[in-house]
Amino acid sequence: MHLANSLRSCCLLLLLGALPTWAAHDDPLEKVIEGFSRGLSNAEREVGKALEGINNGITQAGREVEKVINGLSNMGSQAGKDLDRGLDKVAHGINNGVGHAEKEAEKLTHGVNHAAGQGAHQGGHAGQHGGAATTTLASGASVNKPFINFPALWRSIAAIMP
């Protein structure tokens, strides 16, 4: 038993480095410990490299995601501008069409008033007035025709629509 206790103490002292280096220099246990130490150091370096690579990959992926988001944002902005331009064209066209319709309605009103005035003043007389074609109504009033140029109105509306 005394020998086993001595051997344990020597191993413990060897592990703790208390024995002189010459005694531990050729010891296989010391070589195993050094191998483990080197292996752990190498493993630690490799893990560090792997973590650095993962970190770089995540950073690069973040940059790529940011590029995609910026691209989508730019596309949305451009689409919004295109939509605004298109809506402006539609609104402009509608305004032009309404303006043209107002002019045609004014012509209609003027023509109706004119025809009513002629029926009251001329009583059944048919004829040419200002070069415009006239027709005689049953009451004898003449009416200029046509008052609204529908083909021209339609062309003005169709010209602004894409």
Side-chain angles (χ1 to χ4, degrees), residues 8-9 15-16 22 44 58 75 77 79 81 83 96 104-105 111 117 119 146 151 161:
R8 262 191 239 136
S9 297
L15 287 174
L16 296 175
W22 60 267
E44 184 180 5
I58 290 171
M75 285 172 48
S77 175
K81 290 176 185 176
L83 180 62
N96 284 344
E104 294 298 326
M161 301 305 275

Side-chain angles (χ1 to χ4, degrees), residues 31-131:
K31 289 183 180 182
V32 169
I33 292 171
E34 284 178 18
F36 278 140
S37 179
R38 277 193 218 114
L40 288 174
S41 294
N42 289 341
E44 184 180 5
R45 275 194 296 275
E46 294 302 317
V47 168
K49 288 179 184 178
L51 289 175
E52 185 178 342
I54 290 169
N55 189 30
N56 290 341
I58 290 171
T59 301
Q60 185 62 34
R63 288 187 193 122
E64 295 302 318
V65 168
E66 186 176 359
K67 287 180 186 178
V68 168
I69 290 172
N70 286 340
L72 291 173
S73 176
N74 290 339
M75 285 172 48
S77 175
Q78 186 61 41
K81 290 176 185 176
D82 290 345
L83 180 62
D84 285 345
R85 277 189 233 123
L87 290 176
D88 285 345
K89 286 182 180 180
V90 169
H92 182 70
I94 289 170
N95 286 337
N96 284 344
V98 167
H100 191 70
E102 285 176 351
K103 289 178 187 175
E104 294 298 326
E106 286 176 15
K107 288 180 186 178
L108 174 65
T109 302
H110 181 68
V112 168
N113 288 336
H114 183 69
Q118 280 184 355
H121 292 297
Q122 294 181 357
H125 182 270
Q128 295 281 338
H129 297 283

Side-chain angles (χ1 to χ4, degrees), residues 1 4 20 28 30 39 53-54 77 79 90 99-100 105 107 130-131 144 148 153 156 159 162:
M1 281 271 278
E30 180 67 26
I54 290 169
S77 175
V90 169
H100 191 70
K107 288 180 186 178
N144 292 331
I148 298 175
L153 177 61
S156 69

